[in-house]
Amino acid sequence: MRVTRRRRSRTAVSLALLALLSATSLWLHPAGAPLHGASPPPARKVSGDGRHQGPRPVIVLRSAWRAETVDTAPGARFAPAVRAAVIHHTSTPNGYDCASVPGTLRDLYAGHAYGRQWDDIGYNFLVDACGTIYEGRAGGVDRPVVGAHTKGFNEGTVGIAAIGTFDSGQPVPEPMLDAIARLVAWKLGPRGPDPRGSVALVSTNDEARFPKGSTALLPVVGGHADGYPTRCPGAALYAKLPDIGARAARIQHR
C-alpha cells in the first residue's frame, strides 16, 4: 500500500508539473505567435507612456547641400511643439536628376532670402522625387523651428515642400510620398495629434484664410491651400494628403 501511495503521489506531482509547463508555454507563445525558433513580430515603437512615436528618418543636413554658400541664417525661433504638417510644392520643373537637387535648394534659398527678403529658406524640410529628405530652414531638424511657409500658421507647424510641380494630372512619385509620411510621423512626436485627424490652430495673420486671432480647424496633414489662399501644393499632391496621413499613422502604429 505504501508503494502504491508513493506512485500515486509522484504521478500527481508529474501531472501538476506538466500542467504548469503547458500554461507557461501558452503564456510565452500566445495564439498566432510564431513558434519553433521563428522571429517574433517586430515590437511597436511606442514611448514609455504608451503614446505613439515614428522613428527619425535619414535627413540630409544644410551643410551637405552647402547652404552656407548662399547666406548665414540668423538665430531660429521655436514653437512649443509641432502640431500639424503643411505640405507644399516648390513649383520647380519635374523630371530632374536627384543628384542636381542641392543646387536647386541653393537657388530656392537665394530666392527666399533675397528675392522675398526673408531671412532663410521658408520650408523646414524639402523632399525630392527619389525620397531624399533635406533640412531646410536652420535651427535643428529635431526642434520645432518656426518656418516662413504659410502666413498665419507658421507657429506650431512643420513646412514640408515636395520638390517639383504637382498640378492636376502630374504623377507624385511613390518614394516622395513615403518619405513625406515618414517625416510627418516623426515630427509630430509622441504627444502629437493623429495624422489622420484635425487640429485647432490660431491664425496670426489677416492675409490667411482665417482672420488674425481666430481659431481654425485644419487637417493635421494639410496643404498650404488649407490655411492660405493659394493653389499650392497642386491638385495632384493635395489629393494625396489623406494617404500621407494614413501612412504616417501606420508608421506610428495607430
Side-chain angles (χ1 to χ4, degrees), residues 195-216:
R196 300 163 296 187
S198 300
V199 63
L201 299 174
V202 178
S203 174
T204 61
N205 195 305
D206 283 328
E207 293 184 36
R209 288 193 183 276
F210 304 87
K212 182 178 179 179
S214 64
T215 299

Side-chain angles (χ1 to χ4, degrees), residues 4-97:
T4 303
R5 286 176 181 172
R6 286 177 183 174
R7 285 177 179 173
R8 287 178 179 172
S9 178
R10 288 173 182 173
T11 301
V13 171
S14 298
L15 289 172
L17 286 172
L18 285 171
L20 178 60
L21 287 171
S22 177
T24 305
S25 176
L26 288 173
W27 179 74
L28 289 172
H29 301 285
L35 302 176
H36 308 300
S39 299
R44 291 184 173 185
K45 290 184 178 294
V46 180
S47 62
D49 59 2
R51 294 172 179 172
H52 304 283
Q53 173 70 73
R56 172 176 168 164
V58 175
I59 300 169
V60 178
L61 301 182
R62 287 168 61 93
S63 58
W65 58 267
R66 298 173 58 213
E68 72 280 356
T69 64
V70 178
D71 203 352
T72 301
R77 293 192 303 115
F78 302 98
V82 172
R83 302 184 60 214
V86 179
I87 311 301
H88 304 258
H89 67 170
T90 58
S91 295
T92 51
N94 297 334
Y96 50 85
D97 182 349

Side-chain angles (χ1 to χ4, degrees), residues 26-227:
L26 288 173
W27 179 74
L28 289 172
H29 301 285
L35 302 176
H36 308 300
S39 299
R44 291 184 173 185
K45 290 184 178 294
V46 180
S47 62
D49 59 2
R51 294 172 179 172
H52 304 283
Q53 173 70 73
R56 172 176 168 164
V58 175
I59 300 169
V60 178
L61 301 182
R62 287 168 61 93
S63 58
W65 58 267
R66 298 173 58 213
E68 72 280 356
T69 64
V70 178
D71 203 352
T72 301
R77 293 192 303 115
F78 302 98
V82 172
R83 302 184 60 214
V86 179
I87 311 301
H88 304 258
H89 67 170
T90 58
S91 295
T92 51
N94 297 334
Y96 50 85
D97 182 349
C98 290
S100 70
V101 167
T104 300
L105 298 183
R106 292 191 293 271
D107 290 343
L108 288 168
Y109 184 3
H112 288 188
Y114 303 133
R116 300 186 182 184
Q117 303 302 310
W118 295 348
D119 56 1
D120 194 357
I121 191 169
Y123 312 118
N124 297 104
F125 297 91
L126 300 97
V127 180
D128 71 14
C130 297
T132 303
I133 301 171
Y134 292 88
E135 177 187 16
R137 197 168 184 84
V141 297
D142 57 345
R143 303 186 70 183
V145 177
V146 176
H149 58 93
T150 179
K151 284 185 178 180
F153 299 102
N154 288 310
E155 189 85 19
T157 65
V158 56
I160 302 171
I163 300 173
T165 300
F166 299 101
D167 294 329
S168 182
Q170 291 289 338
V172 184
E174 177 64 25
M176 176 180 278
L177 293 172
D178 180 66
I180 294 174
R182 288 186 285 109
L183 182 56
V184 168
W186 175 60
K187 284 302 293 183
L188 287 177
R191 295 174 178 79
D194 190 320
R196 300 163 296 187
S198 300
V199 63
L201 299 174
V202 178
S203 174
T204 61
N205 195 305
D206 283 328
E207 293 184 36
R209 288 193 183 276
F210 304 87
K212 182 178 179 179
S214 64
T215 299
L217 189 65
L218 298 174
V220 175
V221 180
H224 190 186
D226 287 313

